[in-house]
Structure formats: structure tokens, C-alpha cells
Amino acid sequence: EVKLLESGGGLVQPGGSLRLSCAASGFTFTDFYMSWIRQPPGKAPEWLGVIRNKANGYTTEYNPSVKGRFTISRDNTQNILYLQMNTLRAEDTAIYYCARSEYYGYNYWGQGVMVTVSS
Amino acid sequence: DIQMTQSPSFLSASVGDRVTINCKASQNINKYLNWYQQKLGEAPKRLIYNTNNLQTGIPSRFSGSGSGTDYTLTISSLQPEDFATYFCLQHNSFPDTFGAGTKLELK
């Protein structure tokens, strides 16, 4: 069974940093692209970026809205996906989801973790 | 970036009704279109992938259609558990983009 479990959320001050983790299980982690998607309260989801699989060199793509502030990485020995978020702003307040990227889009999502940016 | 214009934003309907939700892309997305249902406090759940393919376990009253820039989700006969928010997602090109959502409410 595919499972994705995010952690690391919480309250952070504007300008601060936070690193989210997503523990993956139930599939061969290195075979899949992995993405981060966020959803501000009451709004639509927003795709943040993707890290490709082993066959594609673990390269990354980012949404221009977060490029330069957010970094996606992965630990392929522990099957963990990361999202490093720097220079956080109030508008980064959202539920953050990791999702397994497939040819047909996103079927498997984590349960989400809340990040609140506020002083 | 590809913009996804979803309509309507709100939809009021009754059990048994047939409803349609639309998404229009700002350019051709080659049928790389997913539909999701989201209930309060839950992650989105995929209903349809690649325009018209029903996700395993999803009831057949859900269907999708479209091509090019115009796509539609149809629910043939609303059930009580279908009242939720629906989103489209294009994954033809990065950044993947979502529609703004349609909140389906009980009339």
C-alpha cells in the first residue's frame, strides 16, 4: 500500500525557514517523480515543484512563484522527500502536501501538514 | 504558465440531478487533465485522469470529456456523498496548474 506522511509543519515568523519531510512507503521510491503541492485555506491547490526519479537524474522543476526560495530534495536511502522553505511570507501559509507524480498526474497524496507564517 | 479557468465557482443542486463542471485551458493541454474531489479536512481525491479515464474505485456516475482547451466533468445522478469541492488539474507542462474550484452544494 502506497503511503505518504508529511511532517515538520508549524508556526514560523515571517522571514524564517522551515523544512518539511515526506516519508514514503509501499513503492520503489527511486522509480518515481515526487512533487510538493500546497493549498492555502479556502483556496485551490498550487503546484510547487517536482524532483524527478533516478532514471532522470533527480533533477528538479519549480513553480516560478517559489523558485529561489524553496528547494526540493530527496533521501533515496531513507525514502524521504524534503521541502526546504526560506524567507517565508504570510502568503506561504497553507497546507502542504507531498504527492507521487505519475504519467497520468497525481493519484497518491499525503494527508498534508499545516504551515502558518505569522508574527 | 497555462491558466485553467474553471466554472461555475458554485453550484447548487439536488440529489439525483445531472451536473457538469467545466475547465478551459489557456492553451492546448493534450488531454492531460485530471479531476479531483475534495472534502473538508481531506486531501484531494482523483476521480478522472487523462480527461476521460475513471480512477479505480470511483463510481461510474462520474465521467470526463474534452480535448484541446475545453474539458468537462459530469456527474450523472448526484448522490449525497458527492457534495464537495471539485478541481481540475492540467499536467501537460510545468508548472502544473489547478482550476480555482467548484463548490457543489445541496439545494
Side-chain angles (χ1 to χ4, degrees):
Chain A
E1 180 190 4
V2 173
K3 289 187 178 179
L4 300 170
L5 184 63
E6 302 94 340
S7 60
L11 176 64
V12 60
Q13 292 192 337
S17 297
L18 204 60
R19 188 177 80 161
L20 305 182
S21 301
C22 169
S25 61
F27 63 99
T28 303
F29 187 60
T30 53
D31 284 351
F32 288 87
Y33 292 27
M34 296 294 298
S35 289
W36 285 98
I37 296 167
R38 70 181 177 186
Q39 187 171 25
K43 295 188 177 181
E46 178 187 28
W47 180 86
L48 300 178
V50 64
I51 186 164
R52 295 182 175 90
N53 58 7
K54 180 179 182 179
N56 290 278
Y58 303 126
T59 54
T60 54
E61 302 285 345
Y62 294 96
N63 192 315
S65 65
V66 300
K67 191 173 184 179
R69 292 194 304 127
F70 289 12
T71 301
I72 298 174
S73 60
R74 58 196 295 167
D75 180 335
N76 296 302
T77 61
Q78 297 197 67
N79 293 353
I80 300 175
L81 176 72
Y82 296 105
L83 179 66
Q84 176 68 43
M85 303 185 290
N86 298 329
T87 320
L88 284 162
R89 309 163 180 163
E91 54 265 37
D92 295 318
T93 294
I95 297 173
Y96 285 72
Y97 297 99
C98 62
R100 194 177 83 172
S101 303
E102 301 160 1
Y103 181 76
Y104 300 116
Y106 308 95
N107 186 34
Y108 295 101
W109 299 54
Q111 86 291 345
V113 64
M114 185 70 203
V115 172
T116 303
V117 184
S118 175
S119 54
Chain B
D1 299 4
I2 296 175
Q3 308 304 314
M4 300 300 295
T5 302
Q6 187 171 342
S7 62
S9 299
F10 297 93
L11 187 53
S12 183
S14 301
V15 173
D17 284 355
R18 178 185 179 92
V19 298
T20 60
I21 298 170
N22 301 292
C23 269
K24 185 174 184 67
S26 57
Q27 62 191 71
N28 183 8
I29 57 170
N30 298 302
K31 296 192 172 185
Y32 288 106
L33 192 284
N34 287 183
W35 288 100
Y36 293 88
Q37 177 193 70
Q38 189 176 31
K39 297 182 178 179
L40 198 62
E42 298 180 4
K45 178 171 73 173
R46 190 167 69 179
L47 305 172
I48 301 285
Y49 62 93
N50 278 27
T51 295
N52 56 8
N53 294 276
L54 192 66
Q55 184 66 41
T56 301
I58 300 301
S60 59
R61 63 180 180 274
F62 292 92
S63 63
S65 63
S67 63
T69 60
D70 295 293
Y71 298 84
T72 299
L73 173 70
T74 299
I75 310 173
S76 60
S77 179
L78 277 171
Q79 298 302 301
E81 61 269 28
D82 298 339
F83 293 94
T85 300
Y86 294 82
F87 296 100
C88 61
L89 163 72
Q90 73 78 21
H91 61 100
N92 178 71
S93 60
F94 294 137
D96 294 352
T97 46
F98 290 83
T102 296
K103 187 172 184 180
L104 180 53
E105 298 178 326
L106 182 61
K107 186 183 289 183

